[in-house]
Amino acid sequence: MRHILGPLLVILAGFLGWEVLHFVVANSSLPSPFETIVQMGVLLRDPDFWKQASQTGYAFGIAVVLSTLGGIALGILLGMGRLAGQVAEPILVNLYSLPKVTLYPVVLLIFGLGISARIAFGIMHGLIPLTLFTMNAILQLKPVYRRSAAVMGLTSWQTAFTVILPAILPQVITGARLGVSLCLLGVLIGEMFAARNGLGYMVTHAMERGDMPTVLAVAVMIAAVALAANGLLLALDRSRQP
Amino acid sequence: MSPALASVAAPVPAEHHARLTGVTRVFGARKGTGVHALGPVDLDLNRGEFFSVVGPSGCGKSTLLDVLAGLSSPTAGTAEFEGKPINGVPAGVGVVFQEDASFPWLSVEDNVAFGLRRSGVDAAEVARRVDYAIGFMGLKDFSKAYPAQLSGGMRQRVCIARTLVMQPRLILLDEPFGALDQQTRLLMGDELLRLWRETGATVLLITHALDEAAMLSDRVGVMSARPGLFIDVLETGWPRDRDSRIVSHPRFGELTAHLWDKLRAESLKHLRGS
Ligand SMILES: Nc1ncnc2c1ncn2[C@@H]1O[C@H](COP(=O)(O)OP(=O)(O)O)[C@@H](O)[C@H]1O
Ligand SMILES: [Mg+2]
């Protein structure tokens, strides 16, 4: 129950702040929550909206899958090779704090203007946190777990899948929560800056037309999806615990 | 002797159950500035005896246990278990570590069954042995609980039960009660004695508590400061069916005093050295 309450409160606070803003901003170029909800209804019945959403969903889905698999694999590799992990950590942290938008032209140069550039940009955002979380989980693994596995006669495979994996899972899920949100961010930024389709493009395009209800309606729906994904992973994390 | 926990007869009968000959361990020897942690140490564990090792901290007690458990190989010397050189973790050796080694993602029951389930024993036998070990360690009411819900002493019981179900013939315990309070330690000592009698296993207990060593053991090995050497091996002469009530026996005081006599100088060395 508590993990539903969190996102709900966020939404409620958002709406309240928004309503206040709507009244304070004198010229009222900011649509009210009501106008936005009406526009949402319009969009949800518009096939073009669904076409754009499926573009974003497709890029987002692939970016999530690839950055999750890649991040976990990379994190395990770096965590196992203790030295490699120690060398890699500062590099990854620095890369992570880099404003990645500045690198987007390079990504475009490499991948062209198609959907693969947006996928790559999503992965660039989502991969590093998951790698860092997984790597640190392995580096901090209690040595006694591996020693216990050894004295109970487990093979390396059994140790990897029945001891190490469950032991690092909580941190991996935390990393995945961060990674998923950042993947979405990466894909949307990619669509905003260089694309002719996708929800990010739809927002920029509506902005150019001064169609604020559409901008806000799409933004709210994206926020809802992001919160739902986060809530789902949080619930997954909690469900494993007693 | 209870059938569910009794150790299986050793495949190769040996006069000495486990034997260390000239075992030395140097850490980082190749880099030139190695830490000489242990030895050379000779040790003969008789089948079915309760042997304790006491010594100042950092003297190489855990290193000694690791060699016997096959978790690390000696820099020099040989280690044998049941007449065969120790090379990797030998079948028939169980270890209880000082740190809490229970898996937080598994219930008590699944923790206890963990090693056994992966050793090819059939499900009915797993259930039978797990049930018995859980009952034996007084964990019946907690079998569905998770380690996070248990006290440190209970968690250590889970780890002991997890070792027991494997029916080890040699049980190595590395300061298993180090983190527990004095009363709990005395009671756990009683459980350990009961377990030792029922299983017929050989027990090697590493402890920093002299009273624990004096109360539980048939023999106590006293180690010097690092590099650890046995400076004395003391026979306690207790009957097999003893328990913690022997602390009121006059010999208990004598034994503890003797151990402290031997250890005082060594502990001082450790204190000054660190
Ligand atoms: N992996 C290791 N590398 C280097 N030194 C070690 C290692 N393990 C233990 N030592 C050193 O060896 C000595 C003995 O350690 P240990 O066997 O753990 O002592 P005890 O269990 O008696 O407290 C200590 O000085 C410790 O610092
Ligand atoms: Mg130790």
Side-chain angles (χ1 to χ4, degrees):
Chain A
M1 200 55 230
R2 283 226 322 271
H3 48 273
I4 303 175
L5 209 64
L8 243 118
L9 280 176
V10 170
I11 293 167
L12 201 69
F15 268 95
L16 276 176
W18 180 0
E19 193 67 70
V20 168
L21 256 179
H22 174 68
F23 283 113
V24 172
V25 178
N27 62 7
S28 251
S29 64
L30 185 72
S32 72
F34 180 72
E35 279 173 85
T36 308
I37 289 169
V38 170
Q39 182 63 17
M40 252 194 250
V42 173
L43 285 176
L44 287 173
R45 272 175 274 120
D46 180 0
D48 184 56
F49 168 78
W50 287 107
K51 220 182 86 199
Q52 311 295 0
S54 72
Q55 283 283 328
T56 303
Y58 178 67
F60 173 53
I62 292 185
V64 163
V65 169
L66 289 182
S67 66
T68 303
L69 294 179
I72 293 175
L74 208 63
I76 289 176
L77 271 175
L78 291 174
M80 294 290 210
R82 210 152 258 279
L83 193 67
Q86 275 155 12
V87 173
E89 171 146 32
I91 300 176
L92 285 173
V93 169
N94 279 311
L95 268 180
Y96 179 58
S97 50
L98 214 68
K100 283 164 275 292
V101 187
T102 54
L103 291 176
Y104 196 44
V106 184
V107 175
L108 286 174
L109 222 73
I110 298 169
F111 291 95
L113 279 168
I115 198 161
S116 42
R118 281 167 260 157
I119 294 172
F121 204 52
I123 293 173
M124 275 172 67
H125 280 78
L127 185 75
I128 293 176
L130 193 48
T131 306
L132 279 173
F133 271 83
T134 308
M135 184 183 90
N136 280 321
I138 293 211
L139 287 175
Q140 288 157 14
L141 192 73
K142 280 164 76 181
V144 76
Y145 287 168
R146 266 191 252 195
R147 285 155 62 80
S148 299
V151 297
M152 285 188 277
L154 265 67
T155 63
S156 333
W157 282 109
Q158 285 176 326
T159 306
F161 285 101
T162 61
V163 177
I164 296 179
L165 211 59
I168 65 171
L169 202 60
Q171 275 144 294
V172 170
I173 291 178
T174 307
R177 275 171 53 204
L178 213 61
V180 166
S181 304
L182 289 170
C183 259
L184 185 59
L185 178 76
V187 168
L188 287 171
I189 293 176
E191 288 174 347
M192 284 178 153
F193 282 96
R196 285 268 156 265
N197 48 36
L199 292 177
Y201 163 74
M202 206 174 162
V203 168
T204 349
H205 191 61
M207 209 132 76
E208 281 161 9
R209 287 197 322 261
D211 179 2
M212 289 315 278
T214 300
V215 171
L216 279 173
V218 173
V220 167
M221 285 190 277
I222 289 170
V225 169
L227 282 173
N230 191 47
L232 211 70
L233 280 165
L234 208 62
L236 180 73
D237 191 22
R238 299 241 165 102
S239 72
R240 296 174 318 97
Q241 279 159 26
Chain B
M1 209 180 275
S2 95
L5 292 182
S7 304
V8 217
V12 184
E15 194 196 345
H16 297 290
H17 203 184
R19 165 177 271 177
L20 301 179
T21 318
V23 164
T24 305
R25 184 79 169 97
V26 182
F27 288 105
R30 264 161 290 166
K31 290 167 210 141
T33 53
V35 176
H36 186 176
L38 178 71
V41 162
D42 295 319
L43 175 66
D44 279 324
L45 290 180
N46 302 318
R47 184 181 296 279
E49 83 169 320
F50 196 127
F51 191 98
S52 291
V53 176
V54 293
S57 57
C59 76
K61 302 183 294 296
S62 297
T63 307
L64 176 91
L65 180 133
D66 277 3
V67 170
L68 274 169
L71 289 170
S72 82
S73 45
T75 313
T78 54
E80 277 173 35
F81 174 61
E82 294 177 348
K84 280 178 279 183
I86 295 174
N87 186 8
V89 181
V93 175
V95 186
V96 178
F97 297 101
Q98 173 171 14
E99 310 96 307
D100 171 23
S102 62
F103 296 144
W105 60 91
L106 294 178
S107 66
V108 165
E109 202 171 48
D110 290 334
N111 259 293
V112 174
F114 185 84
L116 203 54
R117 284 204 180 123
R118 280 150 196 86
S119 66
V121 174
D122 71 79
E125 174 69 6
V126 170
R128 197 175 68 87
R129 285 201 218 166
V130 167
D131 218 48
Y132 191 89
I134 284 181
F136 188 87
M137 294 309 298
L139 292 164
K140 266 250 142 50
D141 297 338
F142 305 97
S143 60
K144 304 281 184 229
Y146 283 79
Q149 299 163 303
L150 302 180
S151 67
M154 280 306 203
R155 271 182 255 170
Q156 202 55 289
R157 279 165 201 254
V158 173
C159 294
I160 295 173
R162 186 164 83 180
T163 304
L164 269 187
V165 294
M166 308 293 278
Q167 299 184 334
R169 301 183 289 277
L170 171 61
I171 304 175
L172 309 172
L173 303 108
D174 192 353
E175 306 195 20
F177 314 136
L180 307 182
D181 62 79
Q182 177 71 13
Q183 292 89 310
T184 313
R185 268 181 40 215
L186 279 175
L187 293 175
M188 291 293 278
D190 278 341
E191 308 240 332
L192 196 55
L193 281 173
R194 200 159 60 87
L195 178 159
W196 166 67
R197 275 195 299 275
E198 289 224 13
T199 60
T202 309
V203 170
L204 180 103
L205 170 73
I206 288 170
T207 174
H208 57 242
L210 304 184
D211 52 346
E212 205 168 272
M215 159 186 139
L216 299 174
S217 329
D218 293 321
R219 290 196 295 158
V220 185
V222 182
M223 279 178 95
S224 67
R226 187 172 68 85
L229 299 168
F230 281 111
I231 50 174
D232 192 26
V233 176
L234 179 70
E235 303 238 5
T236 61
W238 296 123
R240 193 169 167 84
D241 58 347
R242 55 186 174 263
D243 63 34
S244 58
R245 281 170 299 182
I246 56 176
V247 295
S248 56
H249 196 288
R251 195 159 75 246
F252 172 77
E254 285 163 27
L255 288 167
T256 311
H258 179 89
L259 289 175
W260 177 233
D261 218 39
K262 293 282 171 191
L263 261 181
R264 209 180 101 84
E266 297 303 325
S267 300
L268 270 174
K269 271 187 219 164
H270 173 74
L271 200 63
R272 300 225 170 94
S274 60

